[in-house]
Coordinates of all heavy atoms in Angstrom, one line a residue:
L142 N 164.7 367.7 104.9 CA 164.1 366.4 104.7 C 164.0 365.9 103.3 O 164.2 364.8 103.0 CB 162.6 366.5 105.3 CG 162.6 366.4 107.0 CD1 161.1 366.6 107.3 CD2 163.2 365.2 107.6
I149 N 168.4 358.9 100.8 CA 167.9 357.7 101.5 C 167.2 356.8 100.3 O 167.4 355.6 100.3 CB 166.9 358.0 102.6 CG1 167.6 358.6 103.7 CG2 166.2 356.8 103.1 CD1 166.8 359.2 104.8
I161 N 167.1 350.7 105.9 CA 166.1 351.2 106.9 C 166.3 350.4 108.1 O 166.3 351.0 109.2 CB 164.7 351.1 106.4 CG1 164.5 352.1 105.2 CG2 163.7 351.6 107.4 CD1 163.3 352.1 104.4
F164 N 169.4 351.7 110.0 CA 169.6 353.1 110.2 C 169.3 353.4 111.6 O 168.4 353.0 112.2 CB 168.5 353.8 109.3 CG 168.7 355.4 109.3 CD1 169.6 355.9 108.4 CD2 167.9 356.2 110.1 CE1 169.7 357.3 108.3 CE2 168.0 357.6 110.1 CZ 168.9 358.0 109.2
E166 N 170.1 356.8 113.3 CA 170.2 358.3 113.6 C 169.1 358.6 114.5 O 167.9 358.3 114.0 CB 170.3 359.2 112.3 CG 170.5 360.6 112.7 CD 170.6 361.5 111.7 OE1 170.9 361.1 110.3 OE2 170.3 362.8 111.7
K167 N 169.3 359.2 115.6 CA 168.2 359.5 116.5 C 167.2 360.5 116.2 O 166.1 360.4 116.4 CB 168.8 359.8 117.9 CG 169.6 358.7 118.6 CD 170.1 359.2 119.9 CE 171.0 358.2 120.4 NZ 170.9 357.8 121.8
G168 N 167.6 361.6 115.4 CA 166.8 362.6 115.2 C 165.8 362.5 114.0 O 164.8 363.2 113.8
K169 N 166.0 361.4 113.2 CA 165.2 361.1 112.0 C 164.5 359.8 112.1 O 165.0 358.9 112.7 CB 166.1 361.1 110.8 CG 166.9 362.4 110.5 CD 165.9 363.4 110.0 CE 166.8 364.7 109.5 NZ 167.1 365.6 110.6
R170 N 163.4 359.7 111.4 CA 162.6 358.5 111.2 C 162.3 358.3 109.8 O 162.0 359.2 109.0 CB 161.3 358.6 111.9 CG 160.5 357.3 111.9 CD 159.2 357.4 112.9 NE 158.5 356.1 112.9 CZ 157.5 355.9 113.5 NH1 156.9 356.8 114.3 NH2 156.9 354.7 113.6
I171 N 162.6 357.0 109.3 CA 162.3 356.5 108.0 C 161.2 355.5 108.0 O 161.3 354.6 108.7 CB 163.7 356.1 107.3 CG1 164.7 357.2 107.3 CG2 163.4 355.7 105.8 CD1 166.1 356.6 106.9
T172 N 160.3 355.7 107.1 CA 159.3 354.7 106.8 C 159.2 354.5 105.4 O 159.1 355.4 104.6 CB 157.9 355.3 107.4 OG1 158.1 355.7 108.8 CG2 156.9 354.2 107.4
V180 N 152.8 349.4 105.7 CA 154.1 349.8 106.1 C 155.1 348.6 105.9 O 154.9 347.5 106.4 CB 154.3 350.3 107.6 CG1 155.6 350.5 108.0 CG2 153.3 351.5 107.8
D183 N 160.3 350.4 109.0 CA 160.3 351.6 109.7 C 161.4 351.6 110.7 O 161.8 350.6 111.3 CB 159.0 351.7 110.5 CG 158.8 353.0 111.2 OD1 159.4 353.3 112.4 OD2 158.3 353.9 110.7
T184 N 162.1 352.7 110.9 CA 163.3 352.8 111.9 C 163.0 352.8 113.3 O 163.8 352.5 114.2 CB 164.1 354.0 111.5 OG1 163.4 355.2 111.6 CG2 164.7 353.9 110.1
K185 N 161.7 353.2 113.7 CA 161.3 353.3 115.1 C 160.5 352.3 115.7 O 160.2 352.2 116.8 CB 160.7 354.7 115.3 CG 161.6 355.9 114.9 CD 162.7 356.2 116.0 CE 163.4 357.4 115.6 NZ 164.5 357.6 116.3
A186 N 159.7 351.6 114.7 CA 158.8 350.6 115.2 C 158.8 349.4 114.3 O 159.3 349.5 113.1 CB 157.4 351.2 115.2
D187 N 158.3 348.3 114.8 CA 158.0 347.0 114.1 C 157.0 347.3 112.9 O 155.9 347.7 113.2 CB 157.7 345.9 114.9 CG 157.7 344.5 114.2 OD1 158.3 344.5 113.1 OD2 157.0 343.7 114.7
L191 N 152.4 348.4 112.8 CA 151.9 349.7 112.5 C 150.7 349.6 111.6 O 150.5 348.7 110.7 CB 153.1 350.6 111.7 CG 154.2 350.8 112.5 CD1 155.3 351.4 111.7 CD2 153.8 351.8 113.6
H194 N 148.9 353.3 106.4 CA 149.3 354.8 106.3 C 148.7 355.4 105.1 O 149.0 356.5 104.7 CB 150.8 354.9 106.2 CG 151.5 354.8 107.6 ND1 151.1 354.0 108.6 CD2 152.5 355.5 108.1 CE1 151.8 354.1 109.7 NE2 152.8 355.0 109.3
R197 N 147.3 358.9 105.5 CA 148.2 360.1 106.0 C 148.3 361.1 104.9 O 148.6 360.6 103.8 CB 149.6 359.5 106.4 CG 149.5 358.4 107.5 CD 149.1 358.9 108.9 NE 148.9 357.9 109.8 CZ 149.7 357.4 110.6 NH1 150.9 357.8 110.6 NH2 149.3 356.4 111.4
T222 N 155.9 367.3 114.5 CA 156.6 366.3 113.7 C 156.4 366.7 112.3 O 155.2 366.9 111.9 CB 156.1 364.8 113.9 OG1 156.3 364.5 115.3 CG2 157.0 363.9 113.1
L223 N 157.4 366.8 111.6 CA 157.4 367.3 110.1 C 157.7 366.0 109.3 O 158.6 365.2 109.6 CB 158.5 368.3 109.9 CG 158.5 369.5 110.7 CD1 159.7 370.5 110.6 CD2 157.1 370.4 110.6
Y224 N 156.8 365.8 108.2 CA 156.9 364.7 107.4 C 157.2 365.0 105.9 O 156.5 366.0 105.6 CB 155.7 363.9 107.3 CG 155.3 363.3 108.8 CD1 154.4 364.0 109.6 CD2 155.8 362.1 109.2 CE1 154.1 363.5 110.9 CE2 155.5 361.7 110.4 CZ 154.6 362.3 111.2 OH 154.3 361.8 112.5
Y225 N 158.0 364.4 105.2 CA 158.3 364.5 103.9 C 158.2 363.1 103.2 O 158.9 362.3 103.7 CB 159.6 365.2 103.5 CG 159.8 365.3 102.0 CD1 159.3 366.2 101.2 CD2 160.5 364.2 101.4 CE1 159.5 366.3 99.9 CE2 160.7 364.3 100.0 CZ 160.2 365.3 99.3 OH 160.4 365.3 97.9
R236 N 159.0 357.9 103.3 CA 158.7 359.0 104.3 C 159.9 359.2 105.2 O 160.3 358.3 105.9 CB 157.4 358.7 105.0 CG 157.1 359.9 105.8 CD 155.7 359.7 106.5 NE 155.9 358.8 107.6 CZ 154.9 358.5 108.5 NH1 153.8 358.9 108.3 NH2 155.3 357.7 109.5
V237 N 160.4 360.4 105.3 CA 161.4 360.9 106.3 C 160.7 361.9 107.2 O 160.0 362.8 106.7 CB 162.6 361.5 105.5 CG1 163.6 361.8 106.6 CG2 163.0 360.5 104.4
S238 N 160.9 361.8 108.5 CA 160.4 362.8 109.4 C 161.4 363.1 110.5 O 162.3 362.5 110.8 CB 159.0 362.2 110.0 OG 159.3 361.0 110.8
T239 N 161.0 364.3 111.2 CA 161.9 364.7 112.2 C 160.9 365.6 113.1 O 159.9 366.0 112.7 CB 163.0 365.6 111.7 OG1 164.0 365.8 112.8 CG2 162.6 366.9 111.1
T240 N 161.4 365.9 114.4 CA 160.6 366.7 115.2 C 161.1 368.0 115.5 O 162.3 368.2 115.3 CB 160.4 365.9 116.6 OG1 161.7 365.6 117.1 CG2 159.7 364.5 116.6

Side-chain angles (χ1 to χ4, degrees):
L142 287 174
I149 294 167
I161 294 173
F164 188 83
E166 186 180 333
K167 292 183 188 223
K169 301 284 187 274
R170 182 176 185 176
I171 303 170
T172 309
V180 177
D183 190 273
T184 56
K185 301 284 184 189
D187 187 21
L191 295 172
H194 281 37
R197 307 286 169 94
T222 304
L223 307 174
Y224 298 95
Y225 175 83
R236 182 178 74 175
V237 183
S238 63
T239 190
T240 57

